[in-house]
Amino acid sequence: MEQVQFLGPGMDPVSENRPHPVPSGESLHWLTLGEVSHGGQQCFLVSALWAPGMKAGPPQPAGSLPLALAPLSTFSKRPLSTAVLEALSAEESSKARNLENRLEIDGFPPSPLVVKDFIVLRGLCSPALGRPGQLLNGHTNNWAVLVCTSRFWFNYRHVANTLSVYRSVKRLGIPDSHIVLMLADDMACNPRNPKPATVFSHKNMELNVYGDDVEVDYRSYEVTVENFLRVLTGRVPPSTPRSKRLLSDDRSNILIYMTGHGGNGFLKFQDSEEITNVELADAFEQMWQKRRYHEMLFIIDTCQGASMYERFYSPNVMALASSQVGEDSLSHQPDLAIGVHLMDRYTFYVLEFLEEIHPASQANMNDLFQVCPKSLCVSTPGHRTDLFQRNPQNVLITDFFGSVRKVEITTERVALKPDPSSLGYSHLKCQKDEELTEPLNYAEQLPVAQIIHQKPKQKEWHPPGGFILGLWALILMVFFKTYGIKHMKYVF
Amino acid sequence: MYVGNYGKDPGLGRAGVRSWPYHLLVLCVLLNPFTPLSLTFLKMRRMDLISFQRCHVLCSLYPLAMGLLLDSHRRRALARLLLRLNTPLCVVSYVAGVVWFLALAFSPLTQNTYISENAMGSTMVEEQFEGGEHALSYARDFIAQRRKTGNLPVAWLERTMRSVGLEVYSQSFSRTLPFPDETHERYMVSGTNVYGILRAPRAASTESLVLIVPSSPGTLNAQAVGLLLSLAAYFRSQIYWAKDIIFLVTEHDLLGTEAWLEAYHDVNITGMQSSALRGRAGAIQAAVALELNSDVVTSLDVAVEGLNGQLPNLDLLNLFHAFCQKEALLCTLQGKLQHSDWASLGGSLHGLQTLMLMVLRQASGRPHGPHGLFLRYHVEAITLRGINSFRQYKYDMTAVGKTLEGMFRKLNNLLERLHQSYFFYLLPSLSRFVSIGLYMPAIGFLLFIPGLKALELWVKLNKVDFSPEEQLGPLQLVGQDVRGVALTPLVAPVLISQATGLALYLLPVMGQHVAAQHFPVAEAEAVVLTLLAIYVAGLALPHSTHRVVSSTPRGPDSGWMALKLLALLYLALQLGCISLFNFSLGFLLAVTMVPAAALTQPSGPRLLYAVLLVLVSPGATLLGSLFLWRELQEAPLTLAEGWQLFLGALAQGVLDHHLYGALLFPLLSLGLYPCWLLFWNVLFWK
């Protein structure tokens, strides 16, 4: 069994991983062609394609192409072995071939493309992937946005919260390039810190979450509501470096973790501003409309945290909070030597839970919902799954907290018989096709309008605006009529 | 000609004559500040429509209410009601004020204290100071060196501070007192302050904390100096400091502190001659003064009252109280232990006693410890005094040191100046407080009385409202200046009483040498006796001076009524201002002066009024307060002791004004005393 790590979009393919040398100036693309069932397990077909003359950039999808294009995924661990389809059953290989045929039929320009290899990746993922067409809906890359909205020494615990989640997602495989960490990074080097260059999450200095390689993307006063919303929605200035962007796409699973001081319906950002639950929900909706995520896990550890997710209305969002509306979230791990509380209760138990997770763990979201019962948390953690399509039981923790997918690569050969007719397509037609391409309709994944059937709030009756002005005028008229203008000197 | 229409229907037809300015005016009023404001609120949706309408209705009531007052019939009815109810209202108001004040110590009006400041409340501290023995050896060395040199052993202090790793500087100062201070036995003072700065190892020197120990020939505070040095050595070994810490030993207690503070802030407000400071450490965030004179203590007493009744932020006191509880120390306020049971009557009475002591101390306006001078510079500060009484259980230097360590470490966590908690409060105990919103009504009730009385006098002086309605034909009154107050007869009494006040303020200090030459008294005594002489002479001087200038009598009573009206307004104004910055002083003066002032008139039992008025004069109030103070401290005074203490207090009051800028003396001599003389004048009006 081989563990292969998918890297996300935007990663340059590692040259030695390429099965065939690619002519310079041309780009190599990996196409996920589809999936087949092999031996009761799910297999993904991935094809390396390159198009002579095609410059870098993802291939333009054809109009009614039934295939999702896996955006530029590649392998980083080892050179590709030649994967073969031969060993597949007759049915499966015909299915695979059908895929290939559909490729031709639907007008994907096969002529300049040379189908070199099929690799059969045998997924060991959850049973959910057993559903046909799942790969088309599954995620191919993971992102994390971790935000600590507090600063100042006595808010040490919020920084430790965020860093502990950072530590977990990094350990489970999301690289720094896919983590946007927003942190008022004023703890490790705070003069009040008796243990410089550390941030501990456990008493007695058991776990230093600051580690050796913390890459803070938005630091100190850069942690603002504006920057946060810009990162989420992708409306960043052109000069923003890649490390400070959320370069996700519609195949990205995003983990958003926030902690700080909040109240009913808002979360405070560094003593100067706040974000409301409505703003957050709208930002998520923008992300959805801009196809910036596939599924999203939102976790918030703050007082009255549940109020922050109650306004969400975008599909595929699962949300967790440390406390219900009207409850405080409490701190944990008071440390006398350092002189502050090291963590908040909810995140402390989440961290304890995550420390047990490894890339092959089968723990699912239901387990995450249970991590901090009221007996430990004192507050009542809440979660919201009605916007999420899948059953939380089928959602692995590693779907969000890691970037690890287990695959098995067969060593069996698959013989491909290129269809000679496909070679007859002209390059011209390809271009024409591209010109004719209509904007791809995004699949209606969730009937938003039906899920969110909130009745419009009945307006309270109020007199029309002119009424009040009229009332004023009337009062003044009566006054002046009665007392005359000369008595104004008594008024003023 | 509209004057003639006063009180009658102005006529509806007139509005049409000049309609355009009228409409313009309506338009202007529509564009008043309320309308856009309300509309803005409406836009922001922060205000729902119901409250918006309420707000608007209230705004519309304004012209209606003014209409009520402008209507002469109704106004007359109001005036009559006022006259009839005046005396009962005054009595009720006075009783309400006093009862309210006495009720301050009881549970619904007091609240439990709590630390508001996040930076101190949510952080923890583990005290590890173990240098108690070290402190005592430092203290013994200090005493030996002190004995050797005869005054503050500057060189030894500098050497020792340097040896524990501080940046050490010293500052010399000198001051000649306006007259010899007999209580402290000093006249021409010169001394040296020594201070060492512990630089925060990982922070910029922009903020600092101060630990100050005053050491004067009378009170050596050797143990406090020892603890300071021992704490400095311990603090030096820690790396978590975010603020510099200044360890300051001052000579001649408050004089040294004043000199150091003035030099630190680069101001000179009291005429102190001092050398400039060569080392600074940023803005001082908080200061703790320490006074210890014994190797062990049974309790720590905390003093909060500063110059002119200023108080430090309540959080600093809460911090001290928190560490008292943590270290299980016995802590007292005004020398009073806390009562165990708050809810009981005994507990509340005990709280009232403590509160009265605080009111008296705050009213005195004296700095009760070196911390009192820091408050002027917006530096929150308290003084801790170690008390060694006959109790069995004693605490050693380590326990005191741990308390200080904890406080300093918490203060070190501060991110801003202390500002979250109250600056105006009264304390019935260390764990409970009365906020300004709850104690101000007491003085509000009292100040209502001069207002009512003044209103009554005003109505009486404007006899228009007195007369039967038929005689009110406005046209008859036009041109006849019956209404209103004649001010000319008042000029002389006001001028004379103010001049007496000025003499009271200036002459004692200016004339001390003359007095000492001509009478067999020392300068200090001369000042006090001159003070008393002028004060008493004021009683004889000014009355019946109005006859010199008053020419046209307007009525039998109008003269004194006008004077009393003026005096009442003057009194109310002064007391109102005083109570804003020093509630205790304002309340003490109001509770004594207001009833006498309200009663005073040149008819009726004048002798009784005179006795009452003398009893409530500012000087008598001071004497009475001294007796009350000692009574509350359970150390009653005999009459002779009380008189001696009174003379001492007078001298100290004058000295405090000249040395530190205390405002009590000028307030009394330039403000309250002349005002009181006006009432005296009213009483003897002929």
Side-chain angles (χ1 to χ4, degrees):
Chain A
M1 191 186 289
E2 191 71 41
Q3 285 193 10
V4 176
Q5 189 178 26
F6 270 99
L7 298 182
M11 300 291 293
D12 292 325
V14 186
S15 59
E16 65 265 21
N17 288 352
R18 290 175 184 164
H20 301 283
V22 179
S24 64
E26 295 172 357
S27 60
L28 175 77
H29 297 292
W30 289 99
L31 264 183
T32 307
L33 292 181
E35 67 200 297
V36 287
S37 171
H38 174 52
Q41 281 181 316
Q42 200 67 26
C43 302
F44 304 142
L45 290 178
V46 181
S47 174
L49 306 171
W50 83 75
M54 217 162 140
K55 298 299 176 199
Q60 294 297 314
S64 56
L65 192 68
L67 300 176
L69 301 173
L72 209 66
S73 301
T74 187
F75 303 97
S76 63
K77 293 297 180 199
R78 63 187 286 279
L80 283 174
S81 64
T82 309
V84 286
L85 274 174
E86 268 178 359
L88 297 173
S89 67
E91 188 197 351
E92 286 163 343
S93 43
S94 73
K95 200 175 173 184
R97 232 160 268 128
N98 274 343
L99 285 168
E100 193 190 350
N101 288 340
R102 267 160 55 198
L103 197 77
E104 299 167 0
I105 292 162
D106 292 331
F108 195 85
S111 167
L113 296 175
V114 184
V115 177
K116 281 298 175 192
D117 286 303
F118 281 100
I119 312 149
V120 181
L121 305 175
R122 185 164 295 168
L124 289 177
C125 300
S126 67
L129 284 177
R131 217 170 72 217
Q134 189 57 47
L135 181 71
L136 300 182
N137 292 333
H139 74 280
T140 57
N141 55 82
N142 278 82
W143 287 81
V145 180
L146 314 176
V147 190
C148 163
T149 64
S150 299
R151 56 186 299 118
F152 306 138
W153 173 241
F154 56 90
N155 289 322
Y156 187 98
R157 59 187 186 279
H158 295 149
V159 173
N161 285 345
T162 315
L163 284 172
S164 64
V165 176
Y166 173 79
R167 164 194 164 87
S168 299
V169 297
K170 210 168 155 185
R171 187 177 58 81
L172 290 170
I174 304 184
D176 265 330
S177 59
H178 281 202
I179 301 174
V180 180
L181 180 59
M182 306 179 89
L183 197 69
D185 194 17
D186 59 350
M187 295 306 144
C189 295
N190 196 301
R192 296 169 182 86
N193 192 347
K195 307 285 169 197
T198 59
V199 174
F200 289 100
S201 67
H202 282 53
K203 270 194 274 197
N204 306 325
M205 294 170 244
E206 279 165 10
L207 182 57
N208 175 14
V209 287
Y210 203 64
D212 300 323
D213 52 350
V214 173
E215 190 182 303
V216 183
D217 299 306
Y218 287 83
R219 183 187 297 270
S220 189
Y221 290 112
E222 285 180 340
V223 185
T224 58
V225 174
E226 182 185 344
N227 278 346
F228 175 62
L229 291 180
R230 283 187 182 281
V231 164
L232 287 188
T233 56
R235 300 178 200 275
V236 287
S239 59
T240 312
R242 292 179 73 87
S243 66
K244 292 179 133 186
R245 292 173 190 244
L246 181 68
L247 294 164
S248 59
D249 57 19
D250 59 354
R251 283 287 167 266
S252 305
N253 272 13
I254 303 183
L255 166 71
I256 295 185
Y257 175 86
M258 304 184 83
T259 183
H261 289 288
N264 190 352
F266 69 89
L267 178 67
K268 202 177 74 165
F269 268 65
Q270 295 202 355
D271 266 8
S272 56
E273 52 184 357
E274 62 224 20
I275 188 170
T276 65
N277 49 5
V278 177
E279 287 163 345
L280 197 60
D282 288 345
F284 287 175
E285 176 62 16
Q286 275 196 39
M287 290 175 73
W288 173 251
Q289 291 184 0
K290 293 177 78 180
R291 297 183 202 174
R292 288 177 62 77
Y293 71 86
H294 170 246
E295 286 172 336
M296 186 188 292
L297 178 66
F298 176 78
I299 303 180
I300 187 161
D301 187 346
T302 178
C303 296
Q304 315 200 34
S307 67
M308 286 306 283
Y309 63 57
E310 64 189 13
R311 297 299 184 102
F312 289 174
Y313 56 95
S314 310
N316 287 357
V317 176
M318 193 189 298
L320 289 90
S322 60
S323 56
Q324 297 296 328
V325 177
E327 280 184 340
D328 285 344
S329 287
L330 296 163
S331 55
H332 201 22
Q333 301 283 317
D335 188 294
L336 287 172
I338 297 174
V340 282
H341 287 270
L342 298 185
M343 268 193 115
D344 282 320
R345 283 179 178 268
Y346 181 73
T347 310
F348 179 80
Y349 290 107
V350 168
L351 175 64
E352 296 268 282
F353 171 75
L354 290 177
E355 287 292 297
E356 301 297 319
I357 302 288
H358 54 86
S361 292
Q362 294 298 301
N364 59 46
M365 282 299 160
N366 275 345
D367 300 329
L368 185 62
F369 296 159
Q370 311 296 329
V371 289
C372 196
K374 197 169 191 316
S375 54
L376 294 174
C377 252
V378 183
S379 59
T380 321
H383 56 265
R384 182 171 172 193
T385 54
D386 59 330
L387 298 169
F388 205 73
Q389 270 189 309
R390 292 192 280 158
N391 187 343
Q393 197 181 355
N394 298 333
V395 182
L396 292 182
I397 298 295
T398 47
D399 280 2
F400 288 101
F401 282 93
S403 180
V404 182
R405 183 126 35 91
K406 293 272 192 62
V407 291
E408 185 181 342
I409 294 178
T410 63
T411 52
E412 301 146 356
R413 288 193 66 79
V414 178
L416 288 177
K417 293 176 183 135
D419 194 337
S421 64
S422 65
L423 298 170
Y425 281 89
S426 66
H427 191 69
L428 249 171
K429 187 163 187 282
C430 164
Q431 283 189 340
K432 193 181 175 189
D433 275 344
E434 284 182 5
E435 282 169 11
L436 288 176
T437 297
E438 291 173 16
L440 182 66
N441 282 326
Y442 200 44
E444 185 76 28
Q445 294 199 29
L446 198 65
V448 179
Q450 288 172 19
I451 290 178
I452 321 284
H453 52 276
Q454 292 172 335
K455 281 184 185 171
K457 218 177 174 183
Q458 283 191 335
K459 277 188 178 176
E460 286 178 35
W461 181 86
H462 62 90
F467 174 77
I468 289 155
L469 291 182
L471 189 70
W472 257 102
L474 192 70
I475 289 165
L476 289 164
M477 290 287 279
V478 168
F479 176 71
F480 288 120
K481 286 280 183 198
T482 314
Y483 300 112
I485 203 155
K486 83 179 173 64
H487 292 154
M488 284 312 289
K489 67 181 175 188
Y490 292 101
V491 179
F492 298 115
Chain B
M1 283 306 292
Y2 293 148
V3 184
N5 279 331
Y6 191 82
K8 287 184 180 172
D9 187 3
L12 292 168
R14 215 170 347 107
V17 179
R18 284 188 171 184
S19 55
W20 66 266
Y22 183 85
H23 289 306
L24 196 68
L25 198 67
V26 170
L27 205 68
C28 287
V29 177
L30 277 182
L31 297 174
N32 70 9
F34 293 112
T35 316
L37 194 71
S38 331
L39 290 178
T40 319
F41 275 129
L42 208 61
K43 260 181 220 161
M44 286 159 67
R45 294 184 189 174
R46 292 281 166 87
M47 192 185 200
D48 61 324
L49 277 159
I50 306 285
S51 53
F52 172 75
Q53 282 164 15
R54 271 188 211 136
C55 180
H56 243 83
V57 166
L58 275 181
C59 297
S60 347
L61 281 180
Y62 168 69
L64 293 182
M66 289 312 293
L68 188 72
L69 285 181
L70 286 183
D71 184 342
S72 59
H73 295 273
R74 289 179 189 150
R75 200 165 52 160
R76 217 168 294 135
L78 267 181
R80 246 179 256 127
L81 194 69
L82 197 69
L83 284 185
R84 196 147 22 108
L85 290 181
N86 197 285
T87 313
L89 265 180
C90 285
V91 172
V92 166
S93 187
Y94 186 75
V95 172
V98 174
V99 168
W100 188 287
F101 176 77
L102 293 178
L104 286 180
F106 291 83
S107 62
L109 292 180
T110 59
Q111 302 160 33
N112 280 320
T113 54
Y114 53 90
I115 293 186
S116 304
E117 176 61 58
N118 264 326
M120 297 197 312
S122 63
T123 53
M124 281 147 290
V125 170
E126 188 182 35
E127 300 85 10
Q128 290 167 330
F129 176 71
E130 291 294 342
E133 288 306 311
H134 219 123
L136 287 183
S137 72
Y138 276 131
R140 281 191 288 275
D141 285 1
F142 178 73
I143 293 173
Q145 293 290 333
R146 165 95 206 189
R147 219 170 270 147
K148 204 190 287 176
T149 54
N151 45 21
L152 194 72
V154 176
W156 178 83
L157 268 175
E158 284 182 341
R159 203 167 55 244
T160 318
M161 281 186 176
R162 208 164 277 130
S163 73
V164 301
L166 305 181
E167 263 183 57
V168 186
Y169 304 96
S170 62
Q171 177 213 17
S172 57
F173 63 92
S174 68
R175 177 81 163 93
T176 306
L177 273 50
F179 56 91
D181 181 359
E182 294 201 324
T183 322
H184 296 96
E185 292 173 350
R186 58 192 182 193
Y187 181 46
M188 295 169 76
V189 180
S190 64
T192 312
N193 298 324
V194 182
Y195 64 103
I197 302 173
L198 164 59
R199 298 284 178 197
R202 287 186 286 147
S205 291
T206 53
E207 295 177 340
S208 59
L209 305 170
V210 174
L211 177 61
I212 170 174
V213 172
S215 176
S216 45
T219 48
L220 213 52
N221 282 332
Q223 280 77 6
V225 173
L227 190 57
L228 174 134
L229 292 170
S230 176
L231 274 174
Y234 171 71
F235 284 179
R236 179 73 173 80
S237 63
Q238 306 303 318
I239 63 162
Y240 44 64
W241 298 114
K243 303 183 196 322
D244 292 357
I245 301 178
I246 302 175
F247 297 90
L248 170 64
V249 179
T250 60
E251 209 175 353
H252 299 297
D253 51 48
L254 292 182
L255 283 177
T257 313
E258 180 66 32
W260 189 82
L261 275 171
E262 285 186 8
Y264 195 89
H265 296 97
D266 218 0
V267 291
N268 191 349
I269 41 182
T270 59
M272 184 81 67
Q273 285 99 42
S274 61
S275 61
L277 298 191
R278 277 171 293 124
R280 281 194 178 77
I284 304 173
Q285 304 291 302
V288 177
L290 184 64
E291 296 181 5
L292 285 176
N293 270 312
S294 53
D295 287 358
V296 287
V297 296
T298 51
S299 62
L300 279 181
D301 187 54
V302 58
V304 287
E305 301 87 359
L307 189 68
N308 294 327
Q310 261 189 302
L311 297 172
N313 193 284
L314 189 57
D315 263 344
L316 192 60
L317 196 74
N318 294 340
L319 182 67
F320 170 68
H321 185 228
F323 279 98
C324 276
Q325 288 180 321
K326 192 177 175 193
E327 307 283 330
L329 278 173
L330 207 55
C331 293
T332 59
L333 183 71
Q334 319 289 351
K336 298 263 180 205
L337 280 172
Q338 295 206 65
H339 204 276
S340 51
D341 182 16
W342 249 102
S344 70
L345 183 68
S348 295
L349 288 177
H350 185 84
L352 182 62
Q353 219 175 354
T354 317
L355 187 132
M356 285 296 295
L357 275 171
M358 171 164 181
V359 165
L360 289 174
R361 272 170 75 159
Q362 196 190 3
S364 77
R366 303 194 61 195
H368 289 269
H371 75 280
L373 297 174
F374 280 84
L375 297 175
R376 173 159 49 195
Y377 300 92
H378 199 347
V379 175
E380 310 310 321
I382 52 173
T383 296
L384 307 182
R385 288 195 180 90
I387 309 286
N388 193 14
S389 70
F390 300 108
R391 280 177 183 273
Q392 283 294 316
Y393 196 81
K394 313 265 186 190
Y395 300 93
D396 60 356
M397 285 299 118
T398 308
V400 181
K402 277 187 174 176
T403 308
L404 284 169
E405 182 202 351
M407 288 178 68
F408 270 85
R409 221 183 134 185
K410 283 252 189 182
L411 289 171
N412 178 51
N413 285 341
L414 280 183
L415 297 153
E416 310 163 81
R417 284 177 186 280
L418 286 168
H419 66 283
Q420 301 266 15
S421 197
Y422 294 85
F423 284 98
F424 295 93
Y425 49 86
L426 293 176
L427 297 166
S429 113
L430 263 181
S431 59
R432 297 179 75 86
F433 77 102
V434 186
S435 76
I436 180 169
L438 290 174
Y439 67 63
M440 277 316 256
I443 193 137
F445 280 122
L446 293 184
L447 292 186
F448 191 46
I449 300 169
L452 271 179
K453 279 286 170 196
L455 211 55
E456 183 197 13
L457 288 173
W458 178 255
V459 171
K460 281 182 179 170
L461 282 170
N462 290 285
K463 287 189 184 156
V464 193
D465 296 322
F466 244 180
S467 324
E469 213 160 304
E470 307 83 57
Q471 295 177 2
L472 259 185
L475 285 170
Q476 299 169 0
L477 294 178
V478 171
Q480 198 181 338
D481 191 18
V482 176
R483 297 187 295 132
V485 185
L487 291 175
T488 21
L490 309 184
V491 172
V494 170
L495 276 184
I496 289 176
S497 51
Q498 285 295 338
T500 319
L502 197 64
L504 188 66
Y505 175 66
L506 290 178
L507 284 186
V509 176
M510 282 169 64
Q512 52 173 320
H513 301 296
V514 183
Q517 278 168 11
H518 290 84
F519 299 98
V521 286
E523 267 97 346
E525 287 171 339
V527 169
V528 174
L529 292 179
T530 319
L531 207 62
L532 284 175
I534 297 174
Y535 193 87
V536 176
L539 305 189
L541 267 180
H543 58 91
S544 72
T545 42
H546 64 280
R547 274 178 291 183
V548 183
V549 275
S550 73
S551 51
T552 53
R554 285 153 192 280
D557 291 333
S558 73
W560 71 263
M561 275 186 184
L563 183 60
K564 189 177 170 185
L565 174 64
L566 185 76
L568 278 171
L569 292 179
Y570 190 32
L571 180 70
L573 192 69
Q574 284 191 52
L575 291 180
C577 293
I578 291 173
S579 61
L580 282 184
F581 76 91
N582 189 345
F583 165 79
S584 302
L585 182 61
F587 183 81
L588 275 186
L589 290 170
V591 85
T592 50
M593 282 184 82
V594 161
L599 284 175
T600 306
Q601 55 186 32
S603 57
R606 281 168 69 167
L607 188 66
L608 182 68
Y609 288 154
V611 171
L612 192 62
L613 212 50
V614 168
L615 280 182
V616 301
S617 78
T621 307
L622 176 61
L623 188 62
S625 300
L626 284 174
F627 278 101
L628 180 62
W629 182 50
R630 293 299 288 263
E631 194 64 44
L632 287 169
Q633 281 197 327
E634 290 156 16
L637 286 169
T638 62
L639 222 52
E641 280 172 351
W643 182 250
Q644 283 306 313
L645 207 61
F646 175 63
L647 295 182
L650 287 181
Q652 285 302 312
V654 179
L655 267 181
D656 279 352
H657 171 59
H658 286 281
L659 291 183
Y660 315 120
L663 288 175
L664 184 68
F665 175 55
L667 264 180
L668 291 186
S669 61
L670 294 175
L672 265 303
Y673 177 68
C675 183
W676 180 86
L677 278 183
L678 289 183
F679 286 107
W680 189 255
N681 221 322
V682 169
L683 184 61
F684 292 103
W685 191 276
K686 290 194 182 92

